[in-house]
């Protein structure tokens, strides 16, 4: 547990006395230190004095509840101060304890709070395990590149073999993982997701593989770990490239033996979960750089689903945008019906580095700003409004802004098509390729002869 107390003597006393009663206690002296501490470590409960130098315990409580809703906070209030006690509960405190208090009383309340926390975590896991029956239906896309993805999902869903989902950030990797689960024979089992980049190594290890009672401070009860909890279902290892090398070895062993060894234990525990992993990084180059084990890479990558970037999905951009718009408009009760042609053109021209997630955010904002029936250019983020064909060839020195050859080709071809007003024969002459090649490329970009010229100046 975490103890927030600005008086060092009182803090030391709490650490000692609660420690004697079997609690692992970390003491910090300010609200800011407490907020920083919960970012890096998982606590069963927080005990804080209301009166702290700087931010008060009440404010701290509010912020903790907002960030970590399942983390119970116990506030220590002054004796007889009913107003503060009420304020504490309003601020989302799980419990309050008037001064002076018996340490035994505090210990009992902390235990109760920790039990509540375990229960909340369980409920959250159960809830995450419920996959909306929509599954793959939520994935919108008609472009050939997406049709291939859907076909691939259907083909591999029923297999038990590990699947690696690759694709840029925001392309829908988690959506695919859920769709794979929902269409698998394990659909009735849990879907357990863990983000390998979000936790420090030691915590990730005990989350994944479990731990015995007393394996480390705070490990007051044994835990099975996510491999075991996902048994009968799917374990989704998100951001797998970020897994530290030491854990990669342990993961490889788990995949080979179908057992895990909890931290602090010398016993192997069997699990039965299907492994789906995802990354937005180029795992092969990480293997080449020695940052990712090649044997693990081959294990995880038995089957692969590669998601295309949104800019490679042609007019799917508008399909997804319209779908999102209808849903957002309905939810917010705003009578926005569609996208004005000029705004649609901007959406098609933009290169979407944040992919579908960026598009979703843009639509959310656009609906909020819209003053008419249709979303107009003015409702789009500045970045999208300002994106013009001058971005075709990048004048950048920053390696992060440089583009792959395919993308340069795509942009240049669209630029030429635009310059000749959509005349494909003329464009093919300029590009010195045959018309059929040009047509195939244009089709793969989602361009249709009826489409407006891309990036045309506003009318
Ligand atoms: N084809 C699609 N149709 C409709 N919505 C989609 C589609 N693909 C993704 N989305 C939505 O876009 C958002 C981002 O998707 P998701 O979280 O699955 O991406 P991700 O690849 O896991 O991203 P990151 O790499 O950032 O974790 C989600 O809200 C998701 O529902
Ligand atoms: Mg994701």
């Amino acid at each position: 547990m975490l103890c927030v107390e600005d008086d060092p003597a009182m803090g030391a006393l709490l650490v000692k006395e609660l420690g004697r009663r079997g609690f692992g206690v970390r003491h910090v002296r300010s609200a800011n230190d407490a907020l920083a501490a919960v970012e890096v470590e998982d606590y069963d409960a927080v005990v804080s004095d209301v009166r702290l130098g700087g931010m008060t315990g009440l404010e701290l409580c509010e912020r903790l509840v907002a960030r970590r809703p399942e983390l119970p906070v116990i506030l220590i209030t002054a004796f007889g101060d009913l107003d503060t006690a009420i304020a504490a509960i309003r601020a989302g405190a799980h419990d309050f304890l008037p001064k002076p208090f018996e340490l035994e009383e505090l210990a009992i309340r902390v235990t109760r709070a920790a039990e509540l926390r375990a229960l909340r975590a369980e409920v959250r896991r159960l809830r995450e395990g419920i996959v909306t029956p929509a599954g793959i239906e939520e994935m919108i896309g008609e472009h050939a590149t997406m049709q291939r993805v859907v076909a691939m999902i259907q083909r591999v869903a029923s297999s038990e073999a590990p699947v690696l989902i690759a694709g840029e950030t925001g392309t829908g990797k988690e959506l695919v993982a859920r769709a794979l689960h929902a269409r698998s024979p394990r659909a009735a089992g849990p879907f357990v997701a863990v983000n390998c980049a979000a936790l420090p190594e030691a915590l990730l290890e005990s989350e994944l593989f479990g731990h015995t009672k007393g394996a480390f401070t705070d490990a007051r009860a044994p835990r099975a770990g996510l491999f075991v909890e996902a048994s009968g279902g799917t374990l989704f290892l998100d951001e797998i490239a970020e897994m530290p090398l030491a854990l990669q070895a342990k993961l490889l062993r788990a995949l080979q033996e179908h057992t895990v060894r909890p931290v602090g234990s010398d016993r192997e525990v069997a699990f039965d979960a299907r492994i789906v992993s995802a990354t937005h990084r180029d795992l092969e180059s990480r293997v080449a750089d020695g940052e990712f084990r090649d044997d693990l890479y081959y294990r995880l990558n038995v089957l692969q689903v590669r998601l295309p970037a949104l800019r490679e999905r042609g007019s799917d951009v508008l399909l997804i945008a319209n779908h999102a718009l209808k849903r957002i408009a309905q939810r917010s009760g705003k009578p926005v019906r569609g996208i004005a042609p000029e705004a649609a053109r901007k959406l098609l021209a933009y290169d979407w580095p944040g992919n579908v997630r960026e598009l979703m955010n843009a639509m959310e904002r656009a609906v909020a700003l819209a003053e008419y029936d249709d979303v107009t250019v003015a409702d789009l983020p500045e970045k999208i409004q300002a994106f013009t064909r001058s971005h075709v060839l990048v004048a950048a020195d920053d390696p992060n802004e440089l583009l792959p050859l395919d993308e340069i080709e795509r942009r240049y071809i669209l630029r030429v098509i635009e310059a000749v007003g959509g005349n494909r024969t003329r464009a093919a002459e300029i590009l010195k390729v045959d018309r059929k090649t040009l047509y195939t490329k244009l089709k793969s970009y989602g361009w249709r002869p009826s489409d407006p010229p891309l990036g045309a100046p506003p009318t």
Side-chain angles (χ1 to χ4, degrees), residues 281-293:
R281 292 194 195 279
D282 179 3
L283 258 192
E284 248 163 87
S285 77
R286 295 196 65 104
V287 169
D289 294 344
E291 288 169 275
F292 203 86
R293 292 182 68 114

Side-chain angles (χ1 to χ4, degrees), residues 88-169:
I89 298 301
R90 288 220 177 107
H94 161 71
D95 205 350
F96 64 89
L97 195 59
K99 272 181 191 169
F101 53 84
E102 297 286 328
L103 281 161
E104 206 48 52
E105 179 63 24
L106 178 61
I108 289 169
R109 297 205 190 194
V110 171
T111 307
R112 245 189 255 143
E115 279 166 7
L116 176 81
R117 189 208 144 106
L119 210 62
R120 283 184 183 164
E122 187 62 33
V123 169
R124 196 191 63 214
R125 259 191 209 104
L126 286 174
R127 212 180 273 144
E128 280 172 358
I130 303 169
V131 179
T132 51
I136 218 166
E137 281 73 37
E138 281 181 31
M139 226 162 81
I140 298 159
E142 285 177 356
H143 194 260
T145 52
M146 281 310 283
Q147 291 305 315
R148 277 199 289 276
V149 168
V150 172
M152 187 70 182
I153 291 173
Q154 266 149 354
R155 208 159 352 119
V156 306
S158 58
S159 158
E160 282 286 288
V163 183
L164 177 68
I165 306 166
E168 288 180 14
T169 177

Side-chain angles (χ1 to χ4, degrees), residues 138-141 146 168-175 238-239 280 313 320 356-357 360:
E138 281 181 31
M139 226 162 81
I140 298 159
M146 281 310 283
E168 288 180 14
T169 177
T171 45
K173 296 185 292 296
E174 179 149 1
L175 214 57
D238 205 356
E239 312 285 4
H280 66 278
R313 302 186 202 173
I320 298 173
V356 184
R357 180 171 302 111
M360 294 290 182

